[in-house]
Amino acid sequence: MAGTGVSDSSTLAHRSWPREGLTRVPYWVFEAADVHAAEQQRLFEGPAWSYLCLEAELPNAGDFRTTFVGKLPVVVVRDRGGEVNAFENRCAHRGALIALENRGNVKAFSCVYHAWTYDLKGTLKGVAFKNGVKGEGGMPASFCMADHGPRRLRVATLAGLVFATLAPEAPPLREYLGDEIVARIERVLGGRTPVVLGRFTQSLPNNWKLYVENVKDSYHASILHLFFTTFGLNRLSMRGGIIVDPSGGHHVSFSAIDRAAEKDEEYSSQKLRSEHDSYQLADPTLLEGFEEFPDGVTLQILSVFPGFVLQQIQNVIAVRQILPREVDRTDLHWTYLGFAEDTPVQRAIRHKQSNLVGPAGYISLEDGCVGGFVQRGIATAEGECAVLEMGGSGAESQESRATEASVRGFWKAYRAAMGL
Ligand code: FES
Ligand SMILES: [Fe+2]
């Protein structure tokens, strides 16, 4: 890998994907340390664009956020010219984090260890006691500050979302996403001013890819999530569809609430845990939303490869960032959004409906544990495979959501990125 001094060319040479292709996922991909290490090099630091933060989090010059690309620590900061810059959060001296806080505002960054300083573009500007003390010590005359500094990332923004890549060969962000995904992002975020309503970080007891699979898995949503089905928010029999981009890595799943589909035979005949007549909401106003989108779509889950999610569930708009910590540990960062244009009533609805999602959300709480059920279930199954044959063997867009097409799409993009 250029610039890293690390060669990973033979790391995965002994691994081979099952011959069935995308309908099988080998369990070692969720468990093996060599795969986990190679993902950082080939995927997160390869030609993919990773979500960093929202422009709304950096309104002023000097505003910064710290985050990660995979496991690479990153500083994102707005400079005095209004540009958003991102660089590795690693001091050029001996490697300490340059910024320690999650967010803040600075004129410049100063490393806490020996006070080397950096400007808002990540350029090394000062070395403490560079010329020594009383003519003794100090850096050699040959030391040139311009030769030292953290790695810089290429940054691009779209509809208030800040993405970055380390790879010079990555295509421009819009090209990476494709027109269909760009349009679906702009459908939710375009033409208005996002404001952050709140955040959660959720620690997941599973490999990061199990959560990505879960996000893309339209098959499970109305089965695992008792609340979804019971209160008629999402059923596979409602109007909707799946969009998978040509790379396979990005997807959109969408549906529109259809009261006629609420009591359909298809569900009652399946004897699902989620199909229940006996539950009622004590306060049905929880589900009373406002019409926000002219297309009538009440649920749109969108993912960008490798680990970004934009969610519209009723009037709950949120972004999720999926970050690997260890082979079997993942941090999921939720940021809830409203818009400066919201009326007070609309804002109150967003707050109320935000109870639907998040770590303890009525809808999404099961997703926080089901990845752990898989991780525990496959504990000694490195040689076995998951079966993904729902809706065929391809990874193309389709109208039915009774399919695993977008999950297969993820593995298509993953295999391409990893050379597997
Ligand atoms: S490690 Fe940052 S100044 Fe020494
Ligand atoms: Fe789910």
Side-chain angles (χ1 to χ4, degrees):
M1 300 292 296
T4 63
V6 174
S7 164
D8 73 342
S9 55
S10 62
T11 328
L12 301 178
H14 62 294
R15 302 264 176 211
S16 62
W17 201 268
R19 58 186 154 69
E20 292 90 339
L22 299 178
T23 60
R24 294 290 181 276
V25 177
Y27 289 133
W28 48 255
V29 86
F30 303 114
E31 303 187 283
D34 58 343
V35 174
H36 188 67
E39 283 172 352
Q40 184 62 35
Q41 297 296 326
R42 297 185 188 187
L43 201 159
F44 293 106
E45 298 185 28
W49 285 89
S50 291
Y51 167 80
L52 297 183
C53 68
L54 297 157
E55 279 201 272
E57 296 175 278
L58 312 169
N60 304 309
D63 286 345
F64 74 89
R65 279 277 333 258
T66 52
T67 183
F68 296 87
V69 168
K71 293 164 95 166
L72 174 91
V74 170
V75 181
V76 205
V77 56
R78 191 178 293 278
D79 65 26
R80 276 179 271 283
E83 291 295 303
V84 176
N85 305 302
F87 51 89
E88 191 176 10
N89 191 2
R90 173 182 58 84
C91 182
H93 180 217
R94 300 238 301 270
L97 292 169
I98 294 169
L100 298 172
E101 308 294 331
N102 282 338
R103 57 184 60 80
N105 182 279
V106 289
K107 291 199 164 37
F109 292 96
S110 177
C111 177
V112 72
Y113 205 171
H114 315 90
W116 287 28
T117 54
Y118 300 87
D119 69 10
L120 302 181
K121 293 185 188 299
T123 308
L124 178 61
K125 287 291 185 184
V127 169
F129 299 115
K130 184 159 174 282
N131 300 320
V133 176
K134 295 185 181 156
E136 300 286 332
M139 299 296 274
S142 60
F143 180 78
C144 173
M145 287 201 288
D147 293 343
H148 299 270
R151 285 185 282 175
R152 289 177 204 215
L153 288 83
R154 255 170 85 197
V155 173
T157 60
L158 175 73
L161 305 171
V162 181
F163 287 87
T165 180
L166 271 153
E169 71 275 22
L173 177 63
R174 279 176 177 269
E175 197 179 303
Y176 176 75
L177 296 171
D179 291 344
E180 226 170 357
I181 300 295
V182 169
R184 287 283 177 161
I185 290 175
E186 288 178 335
R187 170 185 171 273
V188 178
L189 298 176
R192 41 190 191 165
T193 317
V195 291
V196 174
L197 299 185
R199 315 165 200 276
F200 289 111
T201 294
Q202 179 174 9
S203 179
L204 300 174
N206 52 263
N207 185 272
W208 68 278
K209 301 185 294 299
L210 288 170
Y211 188 77
V212 176
E213 279 196 320
N214 174 274
V215 164
K216 290 173 177 277
D217 175 8
S218 50
Y219 177 27
H220 89 281
S222 62
I223 302 172
L224 175 69
H225 301 301
L226 182 138
F227 195 95
F228 250 157
T229 315
T230 304
F231 299 112
L233 302 187
N234 182 14
R235 287 170 174 248
L236 293 173
S237 41
M238 290 172 174
R239 173 172 76 85
I242 296 277
I243 300 167
V244 186
D245 86 304
S247 79
H250 321 311
H251 102 292
V252 180
S253 167
F254 63 96
S255 61
I257 290 178
D258 169 6
R259 295 295 169 199
E262 247 179 74
K263 295 283 166 232
D264 56 44
E265 293 286 303
E266 305 234 31
Y267 271 71
S268 41
S269 65
Q270 303 283 327
K271 309 236 176 310
L272 302 174
R273 187 185 72 94
S274 59
E275 173 76 4
H276 236 289
D277 276 341
S278 50
Y279 291 110
Q280 301 283 324
L281 284 175
D283 178 6
T285 67
L286 174 74
L287 298 179
E288 285 169 14
F290 61 94
E291 218 180 292
E292 189 166 4
F293 301 98
D295 58 11
V297 166
T298 46
L299 183 138
Q300 176 185 292
I301 305 292
L302 178 151
S303 68
V304 173
F305 186 82
F308 171 74
V309 182
L310 170 64
Q311 144 211 317
Q312 175 224 335
I313 297 176
Q314 318 269 89
N315 302 113
V316 193
I317 317 288
V319 293
R320 306 180 207 162
Q321 183 188 27
I322 303 163
L323 292 177
R325 295 299 303 267
E326 306 293 340
V327 171
D328 58 357
R329 205 154 59 85
T330 301
D331 276 353
L332 175 61
H333 298 279
W334 303 76
T335 308
Y336 291 75
L337 297 178
F339 297 90
E341 295 81 4
D342 289 346
T343 65
V345 171
Q346 290 173 338
R347 184 63 62 84
I349 289 172
R350 292 197 203 281
H351 280 134
K352 194 173 201 176
Q353 288 190 350
S354 66
N355 288 297
L356 295 172
V357 288
Y362 299 145
I363 291 171
S364 59
L365 61 86
E366 293 102 334
D367 291 326
C369 57
V370 78
F373 296 168
V374 177
Q375 197 79 43
R376 286 155 61 194
I378 63 175
T380 66
E382 277 221 8
E384 307 285 327
C385 294
V387 177
L388 273 73
E389 296 192 11
M390 221 41 206
S393 58
E396 286 87 40
S397 302
Q398 46 195 270
E399 270 171 37
S400 169
R401 287 173 299 130
T403 178
E404 289 167 316
S406 50
V407 185
R408 287 187 292 271
F410 172 77
W411 294 111
K412 179 179 160 187
Y414 179 86
R415 291 180 62 190
M418 294 289 287
L420 279 168

